[in-house]
C-alpha cells in the first residue's frame, strides 16, 4: 500500500473536514489517520490516506483536491508520503 | 509516519523559501554516434538525443506532481563535442551545423538547455578542439539553448595558455556576435579549470568520457531555506550557525536524492550523482548573498565576506554529503552576480568588485560567474581574468570557471538584461592596465608542485 499525505492549511471555517472527507469517500480514498490543530485562527490538518483503490490518476486527484481547497478558501495538497520521510528522518 | 509539524514545515520550504530541485540533467554519451560523414553524424546525434531523452520532461513533471515540488529545469548534457566531431568536421562551419542540430534536438524533447558544446584542451589542443572553439561565436549566435564550455587547465596538467589566449578572443567575438541581445551568447559560454565530468549545472555541464552511456544527475538548490534557518540563530556563536546550516542542507539534499532515485527508476537510467549546490535565482529570497548578509555582513563584498562564504560552502557539503549515496558535480555555493538579487545590489552600489569576487572564488563552488563588464574590454584582459581564475583552480585543486560578459555598446553605469534565470547585471569595473605581453607569450603554465603547501 502506498501512503499519501493530504495537508490543509488556511483560515478555519465550518465544514472543511466534512467537504474533504466526502470527496475522498466519493473517490474510494481510505483515510488512515487525521491530525488537526488550530493556531491563532489558522487551520492546519494532515490526513494519511491510502489511494490504492482510487480509479483516478494521482495527479487528477491532486488537482481536484486543489479545486476543493479553492472552494473552501484553504490550501489543499496531496503528496506521496515518501518526501516527508526522506526529508525529515535519518 | 510524519507529524503535522513536519508536513507543514516541509511545505513551507517550497512555498515560502523557494526550495526547488534546480535541475534533472540527463547525461548522454554520443561516442556511438561518431562517423566521418557529417550528414550521418548529424542524423546519429539527433536520433540518439531524441530517443534517449524522449520521456525526460514527462517524467520530471510526474515527479513534480507526485510530491508537489517544483523541478525547475530538465536538461541534457552530452559528450564533449570536440571528440564526437573530430572525424567529420573539417571546418568551423561544420561545427556550427552540429550546434544547430543539438539545439533542435533539445527543443524537440522540451528541455531548456543542452550542454556539451565543449572541448578539453587542458594540456594541448587538437585540431578538432580548435575548430570547435573557433565556431563558438557563430554557434552561440545561431542557437538558443546550447551551452558551450572549454576546460583550459587542471591541477595535473597545468594551464594551456594558448587556449586561455584563444578563449579571451572567443569570449569577445561571442559578445559581438550576440550584441543585439546584450551579448547574451557569453552567458552560455564558460571557461573552466578542473572541470568535473558529472556536472548537472549549466553552462559547464558535459557528459564526461569517464561516464557510462546514460546517467541521471540532479542539482538541488535552496538558498532561501538556509537563509530562513539562519534567522533562528541570530546572535548565537559559529557552532550554532554551522549546525543549523548542516541540518538544513541535509534536508534539502535528501529531497534531491529522492528525486534523483525516482527519475532514475522511472526512466530506467542509472543514477549518477547529486550536486548539492546552493544556486540562487534573481527572485527575492533566493539569494546566496542574502545568506552571507544574514550571518552578519552589512553588504556582500565587505570584509568578512570570504570567511562567511567559506563557512557556508563547507557546512553545505558536510550536511549534504550524508544525505546522498553519491555526491559530485560542483557541490557548494554558486556566486553568479546577475542571478542573485543581493549580489546585483552590492555590485550596483560599488561595494562588490571583481577583485573581491575573485577572492570569493577561492572558497566557493566554482568561479567568476555571470559578471557583466564593459564591451570595450580588451580580449587579452579577458584572457588575463581567465588565467587568474584558472590559476586559483589549478593551485587549490578545485574547479574554477569564468563566465564573463563583455556587453558590447555598454559601459560603467549601464546594466545588461539577460532575462529569466540568467537575470540582469550592472556593468562592473575592470582593471584596464594591460597584460597583453604576458598573455601573448604562448605555451603552458606547468602543473604546480603538490608538496610544500604554504
Amino acid at each position: 500500500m502506498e501512503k499519501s499525505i493530504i495537508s490543509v492549511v488556511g483560515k478555519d471555517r465550518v465544514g472543511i473536514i466534512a467537504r474533504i472527507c466526502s470527496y475522498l469517500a466519493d473517490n474510494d480514498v481510505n483515510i488512515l489517520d487525521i491530525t488537526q490543530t488550530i493556531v491563532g485562527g489558522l487551520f492546519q490538518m494532515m490526513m494519511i490516506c491510502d489511494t490504492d483503490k482510487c480509479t483516478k490518476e494521482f495527479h487528477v486527484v491532486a488537482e481536484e483536491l486543489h479545486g476543493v481547497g479553492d472552494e473552501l478558501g484553504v490550501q489543499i495538497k496531496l503528496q506521496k508520503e515518501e518526501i516527508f520521510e526522506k526529508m525529515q528522518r535519518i | 509516519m510524519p507529524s503535522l509539524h513536519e508536513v507543514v514545515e516541509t511545505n513551507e520550504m517550497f512555498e515560502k523559501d523557494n526550495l526547488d530541485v534546480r535541475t534533472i540533467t540527463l547525461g548522454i554519451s554520443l561516442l556511438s554516434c561518431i562517423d566521418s560523414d557529417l550528414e550521418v553524424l548529424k542524423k546519429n546525434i539527433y536520433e540518439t538525443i531524441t530517443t534517449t531523452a524522449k520521456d525526460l520532461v514527462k517524467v520530471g513533471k510526474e515527479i513534480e506532481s507526485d510530491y508537489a515540488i517544483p523541478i525547475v529545469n530538465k536538461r541534457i548534457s552530452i559528450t564533449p563535442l570536440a571528440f564526437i566531431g573530430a572525424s567529420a568536421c573539417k571546418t568551423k562551419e561544420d561545427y556550427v551545423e552540429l550546434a544547430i542540430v543539438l539545439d533542435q534536438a533539445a527543443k524537440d524533447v522540451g528541455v531548456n538547455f543542452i550542454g556539451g558544446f565543449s572541448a578539453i584542451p587542458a594540456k594541448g589542443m587538437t585540431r578538432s578542439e580548435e575548430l570547435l572553439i573557433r565556431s563558438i561565436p557563430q554557434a552561440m549566435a545561431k542557437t538558443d539553448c546550447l551551452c558551450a564550455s572549454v576546460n583550459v587547465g587542471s591541477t595535473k596538467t597545468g594551464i594551456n595558455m594558448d587556449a586561455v589566449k584563444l578563449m579571451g578572443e572567443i569570449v569577445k567575438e561571442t559578445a559581438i556576435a550576440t550584441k543585439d541581445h546584450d551579448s547574451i551568447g557569453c552567458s552560455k559560454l564558460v571557461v573552466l579549470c578542473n572541470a568535473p565530468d558529472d556536472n548537472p549545472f549549466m553552462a559547464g555541464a558535459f557528459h564526461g568520457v569517464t561516464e557510462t552511456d546514460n546517467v541521471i544527475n540532479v542539482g538541488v538548490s535552496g538558498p532561501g531555506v538556509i537563509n530562513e534557518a539562519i534567522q533562528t540563530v541570530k546572535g548565537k556563536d559559529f557552532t550554532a550557525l554551522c549546525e543549523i546550516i548542516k541540518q538544513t542542507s541535509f534536508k534539502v539534499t535528501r529531497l534531491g536524492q529522492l528525486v534523483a532515485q525516482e527519475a532514475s527508476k522511472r526512466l530506467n537510467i542509472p543514477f549518477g550523482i547529486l550536486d548539492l549546490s546552493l544556486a540562487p535565482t534573481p527572485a527575492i529570497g533566493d539569494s546566496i548573498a542574502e545568506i552571507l548578509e544574514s550571518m552578519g555582513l552589512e553588504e556582500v563584498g565587505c570584509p568578512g565576506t570570504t570567511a562567511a562564504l567559506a563557512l557556508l560552502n563547507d557546512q553545505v557539503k558536510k550536511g549534504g554529503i550524508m544525505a546522498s549515496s553519491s555526491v559530485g558535480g560542483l557541490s557548494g555555493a554558486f556566486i553568479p552576480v546577475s542571478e542573485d538579487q543581493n549580489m546585483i545590489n552590492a555590485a550596483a552600489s560599488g561595494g562588490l568588485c571583481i577583485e573581491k569576487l575573485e577572492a570569493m572564488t577561492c572558497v566557493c563552488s566554482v568561479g567568476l560567474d555571470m559578471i557583466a563588464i564593459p564591451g570595450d574590454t580588451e580580449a587579452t584582459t579577458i584572457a588575463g581574468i581567465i588565467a587568474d581564475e584558472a590559476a586559483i583552480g589549478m593551485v587549490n585543486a578545485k574547479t574554477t570557471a569564468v563566465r564573463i560578459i563583455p556587453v558590447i555598446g555598454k559601459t560603467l553605469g549601464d546594466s545588461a538584461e539577460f532575462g529569466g534565470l540568467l537575470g540582469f547585471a550592472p556593468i562592473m569595473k575592470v582593471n584596464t592596465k594591460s597584460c597583453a605581453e604576458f598573455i601573448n607569450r604562448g605555451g603552458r603554465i606547468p602543473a604546480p608542485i603538490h608538496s610544500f603547501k604554504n
Side-chain angles (χ1 to χ4, degrees), chain B residues 215-391:
Chain B
V215 76
I216 291 287
N217 296 326
V218 167
V220 293
S221 185
V225 185
I226 304 272
N227 189 48
E228 192 60 31
I230 287 179
Q231 308 305 325
T232 63
V233 293
K234 210 167 177 55
K236 295 193 177 153
D237 71 2
F238 285 108
T239 309
L241 179 62
C242 291
E243 198 55 35
I244 196 79
I245 296 173
K246 278 193 290 185
Q247 285 174 11
T248 314
S249 174
F250 177 84
K251 291 179 185 177
V252 169
T253 309
R254 290 278 277 200
L255 169 69
Q257 175 76 13
L258 171 65
V259 168
Q261 280 173 338
E262 278 300 313
S264 166
K265 191 168 79 187
R266 295 181 193 194
L267 287 164
N268 196 24
I269 290 173
F271 162 54
I273 58 95
L274 189 67
D275 188 320
L276 33 107
S277 284
L278 290 182
T281 70
I284 301 294
D286 210 14
S287 159
I288 301 292
E290 192 178 5
I291 298 176
L292 305 180
E293 290 167 2
S294 290
M295 287 186 195
L297 305 177
E298 186 179 344
E299 184 185 74
V300 71
C302 72
T305 300
T306 312
L309 182 59
L311 179 158
L312 174 66
N313 207 36
D314 190 49
Q315 301 313 313
V316 165
K317 289 178 194 171
K318 284 174 177 163
I321 214 119
M322 188 179 148
S324 173
S325 57
S326 178
V327 171
L330 297 168
S331 293
F334 290 131
I335 51 168
V337 175
S338 78
E339 299 173 9
D340 186 311
Q341 188 57 51
N342 292 45
M343 288 278 190
I344 294 167
N345 296 346
S349 82
L352 182 64
C353 61
I354 289 185
E355 287 72 18
K356 184 63 179 177
L357 279 163
E358 185 181 321
M360 291 162 73
T361 66
C362 300
V363 298
C364 81
S365 71
V366 200
L368 291 174
D369 200 10
M370 291 302 288
I371 297 169
I373 58 171
D376 60 1
T377 307
E378 296 290 334
T380 46
T381 299
I382 296 170
I385 293 171
I386 294 170
D388 285 346
E389 201 53 34

Side-chain angles (χ1 to χ4, degrees), chain B residues 53 73 101 106 117 147 172-173 191 194-195 204 207 223 231 340 343 376 389 403 415 419 429 453:
Chain B
N73 302 296
V101 169
F117 196 78
C147 291
K172 193 74 190 279
E173 284 175 31
V191 188
N194 286 323
H207 183 75
Q231 308 305 325
D340 186 311
M343 288 278 190
D376 60 1
E389 201 53 34
R403 183 162 52 149
S415 69
K429 188 175 182 303
K453 291 270 185 193

Side-chain angles (χ1 to χ4, degrees), chain B residues 30-31 33-50 76 78-108 114-119 127-129 131-133 135-136 138-148:
Chain B
L30 295 184
L31 289 170
C33 297
I34 292 174
D35 197 281
S36 57
D37 184 314
L38 185 63
E39 291 308 314
V40 175
L41 177 61
K42 280 158 69 176
K43 182 166 161 288
N44 290 350
I45 289 175
Y46 182 83
E47 281 177 3
T48 302
I49 292 172
T50 50
I76 294 170
I78 56 159
T79 313
L81 201 70
F83 296 130
I84 307 304
S87 175
C89 295
K90 306 288 188 281
T91 64
K92 60 182 185 181
E93 285 73 25
D94 290 347
Y95 270 112
V96 176
E97 284 191 40
L98 290 184
I100 292 167
V101 169
L102 290 171
D103 196 50
Q104 192 57 50
K107 286 173 181 163
D108 289 349
I114 180 164
F117 196 78
S118 307
R127 171 86 182 130
S128 169
E129 285 173 327
L131 281 177
L132 178 134
I133 291 170
S135 78
I136 288 174
Q138 279 311 305
M140 292 296 102
K142 291 186 174 167
T143 57
D144 299 309
C145 46
L146 181 65
C147 291

Side-chain angles (χ1 to χ4, degrees), chain B residues 423-437:
Chain B
F424 72 98
I427 308 290
M428 295 181 80
K429 188 175 182 303
V430 173
N431 184 333
T432 52
K433 293 276 188 276
S434 175
C435 61
E437 197 179 330

